[in-house]
Amino acid sequence: MHTRSRTVTMARQAPATVTAAWSALRSAGAAAAARLAQWIDQSVGWTRLPRTIGLAVLVGLRHQLRTSNLYAAEPAPAPLSGPVTTSMGGTAAASMGGTAAVGEYLVARTRDGSYNDLSDPRMGAVGCRFGRNVPPEYSYPESAQRLLDPNPRLISRALLTRDSFQPATTLNLLAAAWIQFEVHDWFAHGTVATQPWVVPLLDDDPWPQRPMRVERTPPDPNPGTAGPPTFTTQESHWWDASQIYGTTPEFACALRAPERGKLRIDESGLPPSDVEATVDLTGTAGNFWVGLALLHSLFMREHNAICDHLAQVYPHLTGQQLYDKARLVNSALMAKIHTVDWTPAIIAHPTTVAAMRANWFGLLGERLGRRFGRFSSSPLLHGIPGSPTTHHGVPYSLTEEFVAVYRMHPLIPDEFTFRSLDDDRVTARHELPDLSVRNVRARLAENPMADLFYSFGRAHPGALSLHNFPRHLQHMQRVDGTPVDLATVDLIRSRERGVPRYNQFRTLFRLKPARTFEELTGETTLAAELREIYDDVDLVDLMIGLYAEPKPPGFGFSDTAFRVFILMATRRLESDRFFTADFRAETYTGAGMRWVRDNDMRSVLLRHFPGLAPALAGVANPFAPWNVAASR
């Protein structure tokens, strides 16, 4: 009996042993492939390879980054207690003790981002800590003395000031508005007025206050006892369209229309003034401008169109159910647009265009997916949407390094030309302050929204380069009258949050550090300017290095920044159950799934503004320059 029992036990254990061995073998193979990809990248460069080989190298680099460049913020956030707040502000109960959770949040996004991961309900929610892409020992904030060395205001004036506008001619201005629209969904640190950073000014500096004072990032309200300081977000870390739907109950409830789950939109195309009254304009909302207004209006209209369609197909759905399903569909559609429209426009290398489409549709492609559906769980073959959820061993959050590489203010022009969609004639010219938060409704009243979309489609954003920071953002005024130099602020933010400087950053992402200023810039004039400010190439700030670095063919930003995107662009999708395990008809409805499948930025624009069709005809990407309107 003993021998037989042991034999039976071994037989039962055999499948598990084989599975574990196969998993270990696959892991070892992936690690070896990643090392080979790194060697090829460092020896040849992925941009110089044929597309298929380049894609394979990027997959290997992504595996290496997942293994070596994901660090959770410690300590973990406190567990939730009490009722769950849904997107409408209602509640849903959750059972405890490891049993299955029940409630509306199982099939709907919550207002604060909680319960996206059912086993870790606080993961990614409002108030959670930013993670890191670099080891903790490299993420300590700089000392007060080093934080001002070199002087960030001097760098702003000497290296960032826009002498003349450098356009990004492969893009239209909607591309600039889009990324700010998305950033407002992804993260917000906030500021605290106590003990501001004091920045000395040179005698010839015209800044109106002496010395310059820059508010600090708020400290973590519940810091750990060891390790580098941590910082928390005022938005959820999830890709959940919170910039539209809001994270406060006051805003979310005020925005809701009484009928069929819709959002309230007034004659301007924006939320009514009583909704705006719930917004704190001293925070992120104070950055609102006409470019953001266009996209907010567009996707509020899209939400309402989704509600109408779902109500027609499923007349039994309640208003709350329509709202929740429409939010899921709208959020997924925005994520799809960012993945297959915006990103391929700003990094238009053939390999990255294919890589981003593979992220959404898989290597088998959109056509086969439409025809045959998924026949495996592989995200590589079929795309991340609908694949298993995975955090790669590290609780999901956005990271301080991700925030740092999204500092893209040079995309914004200082001057704007408005044109008529009917005949392309110039109808108005404005400076950036004329389009800011206090003047948005005036501009919308003066110009049909279709004309504004056309004007943005015809105009170019700025290139992400040195000497191209918007002058108006170096000398802007908040709604309370406080003067702000955003270039100075951007430099201080990375230093105070412990984001490594350029060369250290490259080293930690397994890229060769620049040995000289000439090697960093690829030319001599900019190298001399950087040398005069920094003296030591290892002191160059990350943002300055990203702007100065020569870009790969078709790229709007640097290859160094791209390393963070390789990692985090997939992570934002694959960690979110509403894009993975719950990206299915049971959660979205069948009609909702078809809406995401069948739409993109072009169809959204044409649904709400059909008059844009001639301007978009034959344009390969709606974030590329549009056609000139012919006289009618």
Side-chain angles (χ1 to χ4, degrees), residues 258-534:
E259 76 283 355
R260 300 205 299 181
K262 290 186 176 183
L263 304 179
R264 297 172 62 203
I265 304 175
D266 67 13
E267 63 281 357
S268 73
L270 295 176
S273 56
D274 65 301
V275 180
E276 290 186 357
T278 67
V279 176
D280 178 11
L281 294 182
T282 64
T284 303
N287 300 328
F288 200 69
W289 65 294
V290 167
L292 287 180
L294 294 179
L295 295 174
H296 275 258
S297 180
L298 181 67
F299 284 93
M300 288 176 65
R301 295 168 192 258
E302 186 71 359
H303 172 96
N304 288 351
I306 297 167
C307 284
D308 284 338
H309 180 67
L310 294 179
Q312 183 178 16
V313 178
Y314 309 108
H316 63 280
L317 291 180
T318 66
Q320 182 63 43
Q321 289 172 326
L322 288 170
Y323 173 89
D324 288 335
K325 301 303 180 188
R327 178 174 182 172
L328 282 171
V329 172
N330 212 15
S331 302
L333 182 53
M334 289 182 210
K336 179 185 178 183
I337 288 169
H338 189 83
T339 304
V340 303
D341 285 333
W342 184 85
T343 305
I346 201 166
I347 48 174
H349 189 283
T351 301
T352 52
V353 171
M356 296 312 298
R357 290 190 65 81
N359 256 9
W360 194 268
F361 300 114
L363 293 176
L364 295 180
E366 181 180 11
R367 186 175 300 177
L368 283 176
R370 279 176 173 266
R371 186 169 182 180
F372 299 108
R374 299 186 77 97
F375 52 81
S376 82
S377 62
S378 169
L380 195 60
L381 292 178
H382 298 284
I384 295 170
S387 66
T389 309
T390 178
H391 305 311
H392 299 287
V394 179
Y396 173 75
S397 70
L398 295 179
T399 65
E400 295 293 357
E401 288 71 31
F402 176 83
V403 174
V405 299
Y406 263 111
R407 300 196 185 285
M408 296 184 174
H409 288 121
L411 289 169
I412 305 297
D414 283 294
E415 291 89 27
F416 297 79
T417 299
F418 290 170
R419 298 176 179 275
S420 167
L421 177 58
D422 288 335
D423 55 12
D424 195 52
R425 63 185 171 83
V426 175
T427 58
R429 299 184 191 276
H430 289 283
E431 299 281 309
L432 180 58
D434 298 333
L435 276 61
S436 64
V437 60
R438 294 296 193 193
N439 300 307
V440 166
R441 288 187 178 272
R443 299 292 84 79
L444 295 182
E446 295 165 356
N447 303 273
M449 195 165 282
D451 284 13
L452 292 174
F453 271 109
Y454 171 72
S455 300
F456 273 61
R458 286 269 287 111
H460 296 304
L464 292 170
S465 304
L466 296 179
H467 297 299
N468 205 29
F469 205 94
R471 296 187 303 275
H472 288 302
L473 296 187
Q474 285 179 297
H475 302 277
M476 66 175 288
Q477 281 195 339
R478 290 179 177 164
V479 292
D480 62 0
T482 304
V484 175
D485 174 9
L486 273 184
T488 296
V489 173
D490 282 351
L491 291 163
I492 287 177
R493 291 295 174 245
S494 289
R495 295 179 184 183
E496 75 167 338
R497 295 170 188 167
V499 176
R501 299 205 185 192
Y502 178 76
N503 262 348
Q504 185 68 72
F505 189 95
R506 283 181 62 87
T507 300
L508 294 170
F509 277 83
R510 286 165 298 285
L511 293 165
K512 295 178 182 178
R515 293 167 295 182
T516 65
F517 291 102
E518 287 76 12
E519 188 176 309
L520 193 164
T521 63
E523 51 104 90
T524 57
T525 303
L526 284 179
E529 294 182 40
L530 264 65
R531 181 178 290 107
E532 183 175 351
I533 297 294
Y534 286 100

Side-chain angles (χ1 to χ4, degrees), residues 74-75 129 220 222-228 230:
E74 298 294 345
R129 298 174 183 87
D220 189 330
N222 299 292
T225 57
T230 51

Side-chain angles (χ1 to χ4, degrees), residues 38 48 85 134 155 179 193 249 357 360 429 448 545 597:
Q38 181 180 326
R48 300 180 180 181
T85 303
V134 300
I155 297 171
I179 192 55
R357 290 190 65 81
W360 194 268
R429 299 184 191 276
R597 181 196 67 189

Side-chain angles (χ1 to χ4, degrees), residues 616-629:
L616 281 164
V619 176
N621 189 309
F623 292 108
W626 293 3
N627 302 320
V628 177

